[in-house]
Every structure is written in structure tokens, then in C-alpha cells.
Amino acid sequence: MNIVVLGAGAIGGFYGAVLTRQGENVTFIARGKNLEHLQKHDLHIESIWGDFSVPVKAVPADDIPSLDPCDVVILAVKSTALMNVMPQLKELLAENTKILCLLNGIGNEEVLAEEFGAERVIGGSAFVSTIFEKPGLIQHVAEGKIVMGDWTKERSKLVDQLAEVLTKAGVEIEVSDNIRQAKWEKLLWNICFNPITALTQTKVGVALKNQDIYPIMKRIQSEYLAVAKAYNIHFDPEKADWIFEENEDAGNHKTSMLQDFESGKKMELDAIMGYVIKLAHEKDIPVATIETIYHLLRFAENEANKN
């Protein structure tokens, strides 16, 4: 399978490396120091599945027109960069190319479907904890499962082929016939943990055990579930509470939003919180806790960018 990874950071770099090790034809679209490193050195993965290094093919976006047509684009940029990479995506799409969207939050697949057609979009959620330590080095510290499915709800042969390829590479795959539900389920964890850990500068385990933080996360959960219900997204009560189960992997996890804030990068506030707030307003559902944390983080981000 001919695969292009657009977004060679923590998520894209990890899955792209795993597929490369399996022998798939993978091309990374990269930039800056990361591109320079990958063109000269192996990509090294420090993983709970076992450390490994692989030589990879990495090219700049300017080289996209010279690439062979690809079967799948694994889209793994930050949701904040989605609109910036739309021209690159357009160049990558051959007649039958599909896009596996592994972006955080909800609303991204809708943007892709409107621009390129729903039949090209594979919705996806990566249940994985990875850290982009530096160019050429990615740490894989927890999980690794991908849930994915055709955005049209009509299961395609390519999705099954991609699932088989990823499974052979060692990735746990679930092909969902209701990927929208799966995306909302993934966002439940993200919206409860990402914003509050970024705001309080804490890891997940600290937030779970802290008597000041934990009740706030429960209020976020309650508001989010109310919005989901209004849009016919229903959660099993046990599944809704699994996010608060303590385990060693989760306890040591530093959320992507906290990583972005610490490194001075733009946080995925709109994909994780803003879109939910928008949907809540359309149904007149109060989400005061989510809105408060959203605006506090927006303020903190803007202040940090001034320095």
C-alpha cells in the first residue's frame, strides 16, 4: 500500500514508522529541522512495544507533485493547522485516494468532507500517548489503538485493506460502522483531561487524585454528555466513566494540550472545546464550566504569545 503521512510529529511519525518497519511504502511530508534530520538519519521510536529505528523517506511539501499517486493519506497534523494543509491535501489526492483523519476533536472530518467529498474521508481516533521529543525521536508511552471508519457509513474495501496493513504492523484496529459515535467517545476523554491539565500544569494522574481538580472534570463530563445527547450521541454510563479509572499509564501521561502550552505551540482549543461550545449554543444547553476553562486557556495562550 502506498501511504503518505502528512504531519510527521508524534502521532504521524509513530504510526508511519511502524508501517515503514512492516515494509509498507510510506512517505513523510515534513518540514524544518525534522525534515533535515529524517533525510539524513533514521527515525527512532522509544516504545512500550520495544524500541526500534527505521530509515524513512521524507520530503518537503514542495515535492508533492513529483510523488507517485497514493492510496491513503494519514492526516496527523494539529487541528489548528488543518486549513493550512488543505492545499497540500488537494495535491496528494489521486482518483481513489482516501484520507485517514487522526486529528483531535470533532468537526475536522466535516471540513474535509465538505472540501473533498465524504467518500474520500475515513474518520479516525488514535488512542495513543506519544511525545515528539526532538527531530528524529518519538516516545510511545501508552496504548496505540486506532478506531476508524468510512465517513459515508458505507464500508469500503480500502478501509478493510488499511485495517489489515495496520494490524500486520502490530497496531490494534477497530473498524467502526458509526465513526461519529467513536469520535465523540474519544473526545469525552480529551475534553475532560486536556484543558484542565493544561490550565493547572499537571499530569493526568495528579488531576485524577486532586480534590480540587477532579470535581471540575466531573462537571465538564456532565455538560459534555448533555450536548452529546442533544445530538443523538448516547453514552453507556459505564463507558462514560471509564475515563476516570486510574492506571499507571494514564497517571504518567502528559496531555497533548499541556505539551503544546509548555512548548509555546497553539493549543487545539477549538477542536476540543470550541466546537462543543458552538453546538451547545445552537441547542441552548448551558456549558458554563467548559466555556470558563476555554476562555481562561485562550487568555493564557494569548498572554504567552506576547512574551
Side-chain angles (χ1 to χ4, degrees), residues 1 31 35 52 82 113 117 120 124-125 141 148 161 177 193 208 250 264 270 274 277 288 291 299 306:
M1 182 170 278
R31 60 180 181 172
L35 173 63
F52 66 95
L82 176 58
R120 285 193 181 270
S125 288
V141 298
M148 63 183 186
Q161 291 169 355
D177 293 327
F193 284 99
L208 279 170
D270 287 320
I277 293 170
E291 285 193 88
F299 171 79
K306 291 179 181 178

Side-chain angles (χ1 to χ4, degrees), residues 7-20:
I11 300 291
F14 170 66
Y15 287 117
V18 168
L19 287 165
T20 300

Side-chain angles (χ1 to χ4, degrees), residues 110-132:
E110 286 85 350
V111 172
L112 293 170
E114 183 175 349
E115 182 70 20
F116 303 117
E119 70 281 356
R120 285 193 181 270
V121 180
I122 304 170
S125 288
F127 293 83
V128 66
S129 177
T130 52
I131 300 169
F132 183 84

Side-chain angles (χ1 to χ4, degrees), residues 98-110 112-113 118-127 145-156 159 162-163 166 172-188 224 228 231-235 239 275:
K98 286 184 179 287
I99 305 165
L100 171 59
C101 179
L102 294 182
L103 276 61
N104 270 332
I106 53 177
N108 300 302
E109 281 87 353
E110 286 85 350
L112 293 170
E119 70 281 356
R120 285 193 181 270
V121 180
I122 304 170
S125 288
F127 293 83
K145 178 181 178 179
I146 293 177
V147 180
M148 63 183 186
D150 286 285
W151 202 244
T152 60
K153 298 184 180 180
E154 295 179 6
R155 190 154 168 171
S156 64
V159 164
L162 180 59
L166 284 162
E172 181 184 355
I173 296 295
E174 177 185 334
V175 177
S176 173
D177 293 327
N178 188 357
I179 190 60
R180 288 168 177 78
Q181 173 80 29
K183 295 286 291 186
W184 276 82
E185 290 174 359
K186 168 71 182 296
L187 184 57
L188 174 60
Y224 178 76
Y231 287 88
N232 296 315
I233 304 293
H234 300 284
F235 284 80
K239 183 171 284 190
Y275 194 75

